[in-house]
Amino acid sequence: MTSHQPPPPPSHPPYVIEPIPPQQPPQGPGVRGRLIALLVATGLVLAAAAAGGVWLLRPDSDGKQAADGKPTGAARAANAWSLPYTQSGRSFNGLVRGVWFTDKTVVKALPDGVAGLDRRDGRRLWGVATPGSNNVICQASTNAGGHIVVLAAGNGPDCSLAFAVDLASGTLLWQRQLAEDRDNLASEHTRIARTADTVVISAKRKKTTAFRVSDGTPLWTDTPALYGGQPCAGAKYTGGKQLVRIQKCHTSTDLFAPYDVAAVDPSTGKALWTYRLGNALGRENSSVVATDPVVVSVGGGDLRLRMTVLDAGGTVRATLAPGDEERPRLSADDGSTPSPGAQVKGGTLYMVATPMTKHADGNNKIVAWSLSTGKRLWEQQSTGLVKASTIVASDTPDVLAYSSGNVYDPATLIRFDPATGQQAVVHKYPADPQGPRIGTAPLALLNQGTLYLSSGPVPELADRDQDYRQKALIALPFK
């Protein structure tokens, strides 16, 4: 049996992220700067963008435009486009939740740099190349307050060069290298936790350091001085409305010291309050799901999901009623909240969960909990072969999920009734065996009436050719 061979790359000019002088550092060798626009083999009508580089999927578009140059009517509803995924050539976390929006642009973090794209058709408006010699982007904060985003880059497993990009101007603002700390093994992966104008960046064998977002000024480091000289260390810093960390303090008589969750003063790094998680087996696997309010997934000796809600003073508000769900293994445990697969709206936590009893067809479910009482409000299991639900991060009050399809069954956008969980299909996206690929677990975002799918974990194997159908970002009609 022979596998399908990917189509050859198109002959039109490459879609390039160009340096913007004088802010950008000199370009080193490597794959950076090669964002190639590739023909998408689909059953939809193909039309090349006027500026070149991005191919549009435009079914039934009348092509009309208003005086402001924006598509109208059927054209607005039908506009869809995709951005190719370029292989990084490096080994890193694999999933970067780097998608942001301004009034006119959707901005995507790619291995080679940050690209600002026109919302209407995906044409490149600006680009910032990944700083440093032969580096690729390996982490990003989802927060874009003040139109500034903070990212991290590195060469392979060393991801410790922090930098900031201004989304309004498309320029590199600053870059800082984390100092060495060979004893810091708490941060297995690079994390970027941002609250207001403070960002805390942690990486393996580097000093966990807080910087001012606006100008990159170092503010404090996670050292025993933060804990009154006690032998303590913070890990898993998580940003959002509050800055929160998991911390542990060792003593000479307590080798199995307990773990705490702490709210942190962003300006000083000192704890405002702490809550004792305990020292039972598995507490080191605890993680922060949300910070407004603080919701903690409490680790234990098994894989069962246990979650606690804390109030503004760090006392227990509610314990979320458990079910048969596994504790999430977060592929993008990146320091941003809500964590992947979770959403807080109107006093309710909505979360993607995997049943303890695995289903052979790859299904999952979405569960809703009241954050004030801990009561399970409803749950909805996905159905169909290899079909799983992804919560959509939306700019509307709607509770939405994208149900991934396969090469034969359509993907669907689903709306849930917040109170009952009753489902309604908003849109179906046709299946196409030869169409663009976005991975089995894409990140889904709804913004200004367009559904954006950002690539999930993308395997990069040295002994396999690049799949030219793999996309970094796909824009689809919402209705």
Side-chain angles (χ1 to χ4, degrees):
M1 179 176 179
T2 59
S3 60
H4 176 77
Q5 295 298 317
S11 58
H12 54 70
Y15 188 91
V16 179
I17 284 185
E18 298 173 352
I20 300 178
Q23 288 90 349
Q24 297 299 94
Q27 300 300 295
V31 298
R32 174 164 16 103
R34 296 184 296 108
L35 299 180
I36 304 174
L38 301 167
L39 178 62
V40 180
T42 71
L44 304 175
V45 178
L46 298 178
V54 173
W55 286 81
L56 308 184
L57 315 182
R58 288 193 171 183
D60 304 321
S61 173
D62 60 10
K64 296 179 181 179
Q65 291 188 339
D68 61 1
K70 297 180 180 180
T72 62
R76 184 192 302 257
N79 271 0
W81 49 265
S82 64
L83 178 69
Y85 179 88
T86 53
Q87 298 284 337
S88 71
R90 302 290 182 274
S91 172
F92 59 97
N93 293 0
L95 176 56
V96 176
R97 291 195 293 169
V99 182
W100 310 275
F101 301 97
T102 70
D103 290 342
K104 296 182 179 180
T105 60
V106 53
V107 182
K108 180 72 176 81
L110 300 159
D112 297 359
V114 181
L117 311 171
D118 191 304
R119 286 176 172 272
R120 298 170 297 177
D121 52 25
R123 286 176 295 177
R124 174 192 173 276
L125 300 178
W126 54 261
V128 175
T130 304
S133 177
N134 213 21
N135 281 344
V136 295
I137 292 174
C138 46
Q139 196 55 274
S141 169
T142 64
N143 190 320
H147 278 186
I148 298 175
V149 296
V150 180
L151 309 96
N155 188 341
D158 182 7
C159 179
S160 56
L161 176 64
F163 67 102
V165 172
D166 187 325
L167 300 186
S169 61
T171 56
L172 179 69
L173 294 177
W174 53 263
Q175 53 183 301
R176 301 286 185 270
Q177 180 67 51
L178 296 185
E180 294 286 334
D181 182 0
R182 305 303 294 176
D183 295 329
N184 181 15
L185 302 178
S187 300
E188 184 64 27
H189 301 297
T190 300
R191 297 173 64 88
I192 303 177
R194 179 177 173 183
T195 297
D197 199 30
T198 298
V199 62
V200 180
I201 304 176
S202 53
K204 190 174 183 179
R205 299 188 184 278
K206 305 292 180 180
K207 287 187 182 298
T208 298
T209 306
F211 300 94
R212 186 179 295 130
V213 172
S214 53
D215 59 13
T217 300
L219 299 176
W220 47 267
T221 57
D222 191 304
T223 65
L226 290 183
Y227 310 91
Q230 298 298 314
C232 305
K236 295 184 179 179
Y237 277 86
T238 303
K241 188 170 182 179
Q242 300 181 82
L243 182 61
V244 180
R245 68 175 170 236
I246 306 292
Q247 63 186 41
K248 183 179 182 181
C249 296
H250 296 272
T251 66
S252 59
T253 58
D254 187 1
L255 298 180
F256 299 97
Y259 286 85
D260 296 332
V261 59
V264 178
D265 182 342
S267 62
T268 66
K270 295 183 178 181
L272 300 172
W273 54 255
T274 61
Y275 170 76
R276 179 58 46 86
L277 293 174
N279 55 358
L281 179 65
R283 288 297 189 267
E284 69 277 8
N285 294 321
S286 300
S287 62
V288 177
V289 174
T291 61
D292 183 27
V294 175
V295 181
V296 185
S297 172
V298 183
D302 55 23
L303 294 178
R304 190 170 296 278
L305 177 63
R306 304 174 181 87
M307 290 193 290
T308 299
V309 185
L310 304 176
D311 65 16
T315 59
V316 175
R317 176 199 292 184
T319 298
L320 301 190
D324 70 338
E325 299 85 25
E326 287 187 3
R327 186 170 65 246
R329 302 170 184 175
L330 303 178
S331 58
D333 188 15
D334 49 18
S336 295
T337 56
S339 63
Q343 186 175 85
V344 175
K345 284 191 174 183
T348 302
L349 172 68
Y350 304 94
M351 192 168 182
V352 173
T354 302
M356 292 292 290
T357 304
K358 293 288 184 67
H359 291 262
D361 50 9
N363 296 153
N364 64 1
K365 61 182 176 179
I366 293 179
V367 184
W369 287 272
S370 167
L371 290 174
S372 58
T373 67
K375 180 181 178 181
R376 294 170 74 97
L377 302 178
W378 51 263
E379 64 178 72
Q380 287 286 1
Q381 178 91 28
S382 67
T383 59
L385 180 63
V386 197
K387 296 194 70 166
S389 297
T390 299
I391 288 180
V392 178
S394 67
D395 59 352
T396 72
D398 294 322
V399 179
L400 301 166
Y402 174 79
S403 178
S404 59
N406 52 54
V407 295
Y408 303 110
D409 300 316
T412 54
L413 182 64
I414 300 169
R415 179 186 288 111
F416 297 94
D417 182 292
T420 66
Q422 183 176 352
Q423 303 180 59
V425 174
V426 178
H427 199 104
K428 286 188 177 182
Y429 304 98
D432 188 339
Q434 307 305 324
R437 295 181 178 178
I438 198 67
T440 57
L443 301 172
L445 309 95
L446 177 66
N447 191 273
Q448 293 190 14
T450 298
L451 178 67
Y452 297 92
L453 301 178
S454 180
S455 57
V458 178
E460 297 191 12
L461 304 178
D463 59 344
R464 294 184 61 184
D465 293 333
Q466 179 178 347
D467 186 345
Y468 289 109
R469 290 166 294 173
Q470 178 67 50
K471 303 302 170 184
L473 188 68
I474 295 178
L476 296 171
F478 171 40
K479 295 181 180 178

